[in-house]
Amino acid sequence: MKSIFRKSITAIAVTASLGLALPASASDVVGSVQNVKNTSSYTVKVKNPATGLERTLNISENGTFRFASLPSGNYDIQVLKNGTVVAEDKVRVSLGANSKANFDLANISNSGPEVIQVVGARISSIDLSTADSGLVITDAEIDRMPISRDLTSVALLAPGAVKGDSAFGNTASFGGSSVAENACYINGLEVTNTRQGLGCGEVPFEFYDQFQVKTGGYSAKFGRATGGTINTTTKSGTNEWEFSAVVQYSPDSLQEEGSISRGKQGAGQIFRDESLASDNSADVTLAVGGPLIEDTLFFYGLVNPRDTESTYTWGGDEFSPNDQYRKESASGGDNLFWGGKLDWDITENHRLSYFAYSNRRDIERSVYDYGNGTVGERIDGAILKRGGKAQSLSYTGILTEDLVITAMAGNIKTEYETQSENLVCPSVTDSRGTSNPITGCGAGGSFGANNDENTQYRLDVEYVWSDHEISFGIDYQERKSERISQPIGGHSYDYRTLAANGSWQADNGALTNDTGAALDYVEDRIFDGGGSFESELTAYYIEDHWQVTDDFAVNVGFRVDEFDSWGTTGKLLTSFKTDIAPRLGFTWDPTGTGDTKVYGTYGRYYLPVANNTIFRAASGVSDITTAYTYTGVDPETGAPTGLSPLADTIGNGGLANSQQVSGVPVIPEKDIFQAKEADPFSKDEYILGVQQALNEEYTVGLKGTYREVATALDDYCGRYAYPYCVMINPGSTSSWYSDGYYWNGTDWGDSSFDNDGVPDAGSLTTYSAETIGLPKANNEYTSVEFSLNYQADTIRYQFGYTWARSVGNFEGAVKSDIGQADAGITQDFDFPAVMDGSQGYQPNDRRHTFKFFGSWEPVENLTVGWNATLQSGRPQSLFGQGYPSKDPNLNGGWGDTFYIYTNDCPDTNGDGECQQDEKIYEKHSRGTAGRTPWTFNLDLSAAYDFTVSDIDMRATINVFNILNSQSITSANEHYEQNEGEVNSYYGAAYTWQTPRYVRLGFEARF
């Protein structure tokens, strides 16, 4: 096979036709020419009619051929004998999915006069050259089905992908991982949200060409993700000028009303109100593509003016209802997308590509008072600055027949700032469950600069030697962020009730309500600070694809990542270099016919430290919650008056004894913040599967997946780390330096209580896992997937069933059951108390998922599409706010526990007072409070193609959730709002399935 590789390596240059560098890669066409006596007189040629790209190879002595790294598209493939076509057919090459074409020339004479006879190639539906898992789909295929026009909706078509919690926006979970563990690429440029890992930068659907969703088993070229990757390419110009106009309209008049949930098991005040939600959107995409210089310089560009209007209720938390009604709109120049791509063939062996877009937009928001179904007066407004700009320059060069180099430089800038009108009125929340809650005079929240910038460089080398296709490269990113967060009005007040004998956990110990009656108090959280901070990510990889035999191939890859981060002052905060991460895989065709594939992979994947972690720990943020009693409320602002520290009423008195310190403005150095033994977050994955082509239409597959967290990196905030938190691998021995505070297990010992962010000389201390008290991190995902694909001329569909089990004591980077988006530093592992009872089924444990989607052409020019999902519910927990032990080594100043105080406190000591160790608690471990209901969703679409004056047109209608199913998708799992005080909104729904809505479309192309 050496001759095949050496002669076909020049085809790698066509990677440049995509105008991008890895990981967005092109694909191969492999095949054979059978029943040939003299192979030296035969050649094989592929040609892309749209771009003129053409490559010709000699076939090997055994009749095989391979065109490496062809860009996606439709190709004519021909077998020639002495320059004369004797067989031909067409083949489709998709992003990251190789195609196979086998020709049988039994009826072609090999001697005497040439007899030209055209026969078809046998195109296999199974890609035997790759072992990764996922889905590859084109924009044309998606246009045939009712799919929402966003990357998450495309990703959810893949087996093993489930929709994430709505608290994190429109996101997806892959293979049991949290929604903040994925990576996204457009034309090789990573567009993942670098702040928290939640979501991706996107372009209009008209710009996309193909989508590759990798749910597992991906190669060493991909990294910085422990979930899945979404790899996309955009359209490029061809040798023919093409113009298009696409209109999409989703009117709110064709949207059904949403649901309402109430407190007190449905008998109380409105908790969440979707009945007032509406969305009205219209956008027009105008696109043009063609040759600026034929066969040399190609252009594709588009503009997309968008008009959006939405209304919804907002505000409240797990203990309080919606208290705002919001209207948002964006249109005209404030909501205009533009993008373009240039491809320049400098010579046949060198190409440059430039890609750029802007999805920058300003959204106008008006805020109205809302309460229990009634919309009141306008109280606030804001301008939301969202989106940004991206650009990349890519180069591909064929240096020799065996050596190809690709390089990319890119940059993406994103804004998240909200500019509020009202900077005077503080945030006010009333968590007491009363029928007349205290409200503020504005929307509250925070203000300040908020933006990210990610500069990227990548170099990849591919070399062919004998039966080995070797690739290696380096990938570097510099992620800069700026965030300043100041509380509007200077405060954030939350009115609460503490039950008799209930406790409020302060840093200096629990404050127990010994007044003999319920006590109203207010918490004032002041979260203030921020600045500029950054991280640098560097990766090195090497990989070998070895075609051991015609039917057996092995992939061996290794990757090393380096993650470094710096705080606002420029001090090094974290520095990690991973172990060598293996990526191993194999594919085997046991029958030798190309109809069967047995495959398997093993890989270790690492996740970098999110920039959000740097913001919270090293940008000068002060985060202090103080509890007060109060004598009154300001009728204008809703702020409390007559404040007195809670400890003056219950406890030892004083402000310091009434506070929870979650962050200090002093910025620690690395030796304080990162334990010396700490390794970055990583997961191991094992996959074994088989695919079988039953005939030319049907393909079936069966795959098993097992994932587990190898190392969890999270922040421990217990007293041994005070006044900071420290990044450790939970359940392991760890050592770090102290800074002014020295907890010896019982008291503060020789503490100076003077911290400056610099490690105290000689303070390095090693703490055993038993001393820290945290369990070893556990997160396991097991799944079995069955798939059935059918493809014929007029009908095609895919059916999939996934049985999955996700279990452990933490979810991952974020925490869905309480909607906490602090990637990498959630309340998990902050204190031993919050982990007691944490082992159980995770929020993304969707035990059964059925997916069925496809399209049908009942008559010419009419296409009907469908997309159906049936899924079991998610586990529910019962969160409390107290803990049986008063040991300060176990419990801290915040966090939800798995213990409920029963309000029982027998006087076992005979002193007539309730003591902490006398209270009776009920333990409810994770996921033991039932599950949300099953959900079923059916979307339908119809498209009609017609021609007017030589202009190709299409009219479409998409109806989403046609049955208007509105089952609950998430509910309130907080049983207590304070220790001993039942949350009146426990069990009330947060979210439901999106109500039925309609999208109308019209396209014109010429």
Side-chain angles (χ1 to χ4, degrees), residues 93-97 132 134-138 141 210-213 798:
V93 175
S94 298
L95 172 65
D132 56 2
L135 172 76
V136 175
I137 193 167
T138 67
E141 292 174 286
Q210 292 203 48
F211 307 85
Q212 181 186 44
V213 182
Q798 294 187 37

Side-chain angles (χ1 to χ4, degrees), residues 770-917:
E770 291 74 22
T771 297
I772 297 172
L774 293 175
K776 184 176 177 60
N778 172 249
N779 181 291
E780 299 177 56
Y781 173 81
T782 308
S783 72
V784 178
E785 299 172 7
F786 169 79
S787 62
L788 173 67
N789 298 342
Y790 178 82
Q791 186 164 333
D793 291 337
T794 61
I795 187 170
R796 61 203 68 180
Y797 57 81
Q798 294 187 37
F799 169 79
Y801 166 69
T802 302
W803 176 92
R805 177 180 180 269
S806 183
V807 66
N809 56 18
F810 82 117
E811 180 182 356
V814 293
K815 190 171 173 61
S816 296
D817 45 20
I818 64 170
Q820 188 177 9
D822 285 321
I825 53 171
T826 66
Q827 71 176 28
D828 287 337
F829 301 108
D830 285 356
F831 313 105
V834 299
M835 301 306 296
D836 187 358
S838 61
Q839 182 71 26
Y841 295 124
Q842 292 296 317
N844 50 24
D845 179 83
R846 303 287 189 165
R847 196 59 51 88
H848 307 281
T849 302
F850 299 84
K851 298 180 181 181
F852 183 44
F853 57 88
S855 62
W856 174 43
E857 301 170 21
V859 297
E860 187 176 3
N861 296 327
L862 177 64
T863 303
V864 177
W866 68 91
N867 182 21
T869 302
L870 175 64
Q871 190 171 70
S872 59
R874 59 185 277 183
Q876 299 280 274
S877 296
L878 209 64
F879 289 120
Q881 301 301 307
Y883 191 65
S885 174
K886 61 181 179 181
D887 185 348
N889 295 301
L890 301 180
N891 208 0
W894 62 87
D896 303 295
T897 71
F898 296 92
Y899 285 85
I900 305 299
Y901 177 40
T902 63
N903 294 102
D904 292 326
C905 189
D907 186 11
T908 57
N909 293 336
D911 55 7
E913 295 184 0
C914 176
Q915 302 296 324
Q916 178 69 30
D917 56 4

Side-chain angles (χ1 to χ4, degrees), residues 81-96:
K81 180 180 180 183
N82 297 323
T84 301
V85 177
V86 296
E88 65 179 9
D89 211 314
K90 298 181 183 297
V91 63
R92 172 70 182 174
V93 175
S94 298
L95 172 65

Side-chain angles (χ1 to χ4, degrees), residues 123-192:
I123 309 298
S124 175
S125 58
I126 293 180
D127 180 10
L128 295 169
S129 61
T130 62
D132 56 2
S133 302
L135 172 76
V136 175
I137 193 167
T138 67
D139 68 317
E141 292 174 286
I142 289 177
D143 282 344
R144 300 167 62 91
M145 298 181 294
I147 308 297
S148 294
R149 299 167 72 84
D150 59 78
L151 289 181
T152 295
S153 297
V154 176
L156 290 174
L157 297 175
V162 300
K163 190 170 180 60
D165 193 279
S166 62
F168 309 122
N170 187 23
T171 55
S173 166
F174 296 88
S177 298
S178 78
V179 297
E181 300 173 37
N182 307 321
C184 315
Y185 303 87
I186 302 178
N187 289 344
L189 180 72
E190 185 174 357
V191 294
T192 315

Side-chain angles (χ1 to χ4, degrees), residues 480-760:
K480 295 183 177 180
S481 298
E482 180 187 19
R483 185 180 179 188
I484 297 173
S485 179
Q486 296 178 278
I488 292 176
H491 300 270
S492 180
Y493 295 111
D494 186 2
Y495 293 91
R496 292 176 174 248
T497 299
L498 187 61
N501 294 326
S503 296
W504 189 84
Q505 185 69 41
D507 282 349
N508 291 339
L511 301 178
T512 300
N513 178 13
D514 55 6
T515 64
L519 177 66
D520 284 350
Y521 73 103
V522 64
E523 293 181 358
D524 180 16
R525 182 183 185 186
I526 300 179
F527 186 103
D528 191 1
S532 299
F533 42 94
E534 65 180 277
S535 60
E536 290 184 5
L537 314 178
T538 308
Y540 313 87
Y541 79 89
I542 185 169
E543 192 166 51
D544 178 22
H545 176 80
W546 178 22
Q547 194 69 41
V548 183
T549 69
D550 290 343
D551 304 322
F552 184 73
V554 174
N555 287 297
V556 179
F558 301 98
R559 180 183 177 99
V560 173
D561 281 274
E562 296 179 1
F563 309 135
D564 298 307
S565 64
W566 291 266
T568 297
T569 59
K571 295 180 179 179
L572 182 66
L573 180 69
T574 64
S575 182
F576 294 101
K577 184 175 182 179
T578 70
D579 294 333
I580 296 176
R583 307 286 178 85
L584 310 175
F586 76 91
T587 59
W588 175 43
D589 177 9
T591 64
T593 62
D595 293 332
T596 306
K597 179 173 79 170
V598 179
Y599 63 97
T601 61
Y602 162 71
R604 170 163 288 191
Y605 307 97
Y606 283 94
L607 191 70
V609 175
N611 274 24
N612 177 72
T613 298
I614 313 170
F615 165 66
R616 292 298 303 272
S619 66
V621 169
S622 174
D623 184 7
I624 300 176
T625 299
T626 307
Y628 299 94
T629 57
Y630 59 97
T631 59
V633 176
D634 188 306
E636 296 295 328
T637 66
T641 60
L643 295 178
S644 178
L646 181 61
D648 287 353
T649 302
I650 55 174
N652 295 323
L655 188 67
N657 292 330
S658 305
Q659 291 184 331
Q660 300 168 346
V661 179
S662 302
V664 294
V666 177
I667 299 172
E669 293 183 3
K670 169 180 170 291
D671 286 342
I672 299 172
F673 182 71
Q674 177 185 318
K676 287 189 170 298
E677 300 82 2
D679 290 320
F681 186 95
S682 66
K683 280 189 175 181
D684 288 337
E685 177 191 68
Y686 305 83
I687 294 176
L688 185 63
V690 60
Q691 283 184 284
Q692 176 68 51
L694 303 180
N695 51 41
E696 293 185 357
E697 290 83 23
Y698 279 106
T699 303
V700 297
L702 187 65
K703 184 184 76 172
T705 301
Y706 176 75
R707 280 182 169 185
E708 66 175 349
V709 167
T711 54
L713 181 71
D714 215 308
D715 62 329
Y716 162 69
C717 303
R719 292 209 171 185
Y720 293 103
Y722 199 86
Y724 311 101
C725 297
V726 59
M727 302 297 287
I728 67 172
N729 300 134
S732 301
T733 296
S734 301
S735 57
W736 61 86
Y737 282 84
S738 298
D739 181 20
Y741 289 76
Y742 295 89
W743 181 255
N744 59 25
T746 57
D747 56 52
W748 289 109
D750 297 328
S751 298
S752 65
F753 303 107
D754 181 20
N755 57 306
D756 58 4
V758 179
D760 294 344

Side-chain angles (χ1 to χ4, degrees), residues 208-225:
Y208 289 117
D209 178 46
Q210 292 203 48
F211 307 85
Q212 181 186 44
V213 182
K214 289 181 174 288
T215 59
Y218 37 92
S219 77
K221 300 172 185 177
F222 291 86
R224 306 189 184 110

